[in-house]
Amino acid sequence: MADALLGGLVINELLIDPNGANNFDTGRNGVARAGDEFIELLNTSTGPIDVSGVELWDASRDNWFTFPSGSVLQTGARATVVRNVQAGGNLPTGGPDDLVFDADVSGGVLNNKGDNAVVYDPAADAFIQTTYNGDSLDDPTSGPGYVGFSSTATRIGTGEDFGSDNDGFSIQRLVDGNDNFSNDQTPTPSAQYVCFTTGTLIETPGGPRPVEQLIEGNAVTAYEPDGSEADTARLLVRIFRRQIGPGELIQNPKLLPVKIEADALGNGLPRRDLVVSRQHKMLITSNIAERMFGAREVLVAAIRLTELPGFYVDEKVQSVEYFHLLFDKHEIILAEGAPTESFFIGPETLRVLPREAREEVLTLFPEITLESETPVPARPILAGRLQKRLIDRHRKNIEELLC
């Protein structure tokens, strides 16, 4: 298993050299540059981890980043640190619980002569460490190049070997938290799955249809807040699907779906139990949302709703098949009668798709690129902390989410 700091913090992904056959532009300024290198950490524990003060070290750059005060990483969430976002660029967005930072340092921190990455917790005086590209394991407590590192610090585990990188591709754990790696995948800083599951009834002009029976070109009913039936048909451009087997669910519990029980949202919705991926967003329509954010309708990730009765991660499933429904633009559609989002095409969600599917989307939508600005969503998508505040307020006031 992976070497873990603070009871569950592991090194999950490294982009060492952004320039190569893939030319990955993490900072999305339009050009892949050396500063686009990044490290991603993952919380594999069952509770939140406070990473405030945790330090990133390199033999050639010493302590090159320290997580600021208040940096708390939730279960299954990722913390991504980009070395240097160039002018005109911006950070990856990630999921609602992910943390993303710009270290804003010049000169390589991963792509240099010292191919070791060290994550150090001063409070526990302990660290985890990985090597790559055939480098030997440094001793940061006494070796050269780690000026100011604690001489009494303890390494957790024996150090991990991530193998060799391919320029433009990142080294990733094949299954988050495990100790197998790939080096030929497009980088996925803080990427998440957002999709429906088999059997979900999607509203169409001809009545509800199971999601697995829909095909490209079918008309799907879009949600209108005033109940208008005019111009609500939207044509499906593409459907993507992925089967998750029992082995992958066991090794990567974040792929387990969220079950929304019938009527849990309010107003009799959903009509039946609805099962979606953790980051799939449901539409919340309430006076509370309007008072808090000036918008009566907002989108909230399903995993955030599990703080309320009738919403929970379904740990009993043995396998699950996820579906992405892609339209010309981001839409609010009806699943089991409940308003929810379609596949949101943006740079981060593109990176989740397998390479063949991603290339097809880029062909269908040439105006979209991996470096594009995030498009306008169908409704406001609240930041993670704001989603939590909204759900806390609904729980306290015992007010339905659709009212």
Side-chain angles (χ1 to χ4, degrees), residues 28 93 194 237-240 281 324-331 341-353 357-378 381:
R28 299 185 292 180
T93 52
V194 183
V237 174
R238 190 70 169 90
I239 302 174
F240 301 101
K281 295 174 185 65
H324 300 286
L325 301 185
L326 177 62
F327 298 86
D328 282 329
K329 61 184 180 67
H330 194 219
E331 298 283 0
E341 68 169 344
S342 67
F343 185 42
F344 187 31
I345 283 291
E348 304 311 319
T349 47
L350 274 178
R351 291 176 179 130
V352 173
L353 294 175
R358 182 170 59 249
E359 290 173 352
E360 183 173 357
V361 170
L362 293 176
T363 300
L364 291 168
F365 300 90
E367 71 276 14
I368 301 287
T369 71
L370 290 173
E371 290 78 35
S372 296
E373 295 291 332
T374 300
V376 178
I381 299 175

Side-chain angles (χ1 to χ4, degrees), residues 211-231:
V211 65
E212 65 272 20
Q213 294 182 11
L214 295 173
I215 61 174
E216 288 80 5
N218 282 168
V220 171
T221 301
Y223 165 79
E224 293 294 338
D226 60 2
S228 172
E229 296 296 325
D231 300 322

Side-chain angles (χ1 to χ4, degrees), residues 99-149:
L99 306 177
V100 190
F101 300 95
D102 178 7
D104 194 24
V105 296
S106 60
V109 294
L110 297 175
N111 187 24
N112 52 35
K113 295 180 180 179
D115 288 345
N116 276 236
V118 177
V119 183
Y120 171 61
D121 176 22
D125 201 22
F127 64 96
I128 54 176
Q129 183 175 5
T130 184
T131 62
Y132 45 92
N133 291 337
D135 202 2
S136 58
L137 195 69
D138 296 336
D139 182 359
T141 66
S142 60
Y146 292 89
V147 177
F149 198 89

Side-chain angles (χ1 to χ4, degrees), residues 14-18 24 26 33-39 64 81-84 105 107-112 132:
L14 300 172
L15 175 59
I16 297 156
D17 189 347
F24 190 79
T26 309
R33 300 178 182 273
D36 288 312
E37 58 185 328
F38 70 81
I39 181 172
W64 61 273
V81 182
V82 183
R83 196 253 286 176
N84 180 233
V105 296
V109 294
L110 297 175
N111 187 24
N112 52 35
Y132 45 92

Side-chain angles (χ1 to χ4, degrees), residues 268-306:
L269 298 174
R271 299 188 187 106
R272 303 188 310 164
D273 290 354
L274 173 62
V275 182
V276 297
S277 61
R278 294 165 63 99
Q279 296 303 329
H280 194 98
K281 295 174 185 65
M282 304 300 298
L283 188 71
I284 306 303
T285 303
S286 72
N287 295 327
I288 291 178
E290 188 167 22
R291 288 195 300 269
M292 293 180 69
F293 310 114
R296 182 171 174 78
E297 296 185 336
V298 295
L299 288 165
V300 174
I303 190 63
R304 286 295 188 186
L305 306 180
T306 56

Side-chain angles (χ1 to χ4, degrees), residues 5-47:
L5 193 66
L6 290 166
L9 187 68
V10 306
I11 301 172
N12 196 54
E13 183 174 0
L14 300 172
L15 175 59
I16 297 156
D17 189 347
N19 297 107
N22 202 40
N23 278 334
F24 190 79
D25 178 18
T26 309
R28 299 185 292 180
N29 72 318
V31 181
R33 300 178 182 273
D36 288 312
E37 58 185 328
F38 70 81
I39 181 172
E40 178 188 270
L41 308 180
L42 172 72
N43 178 3
T44 63
S45 75
T46 57

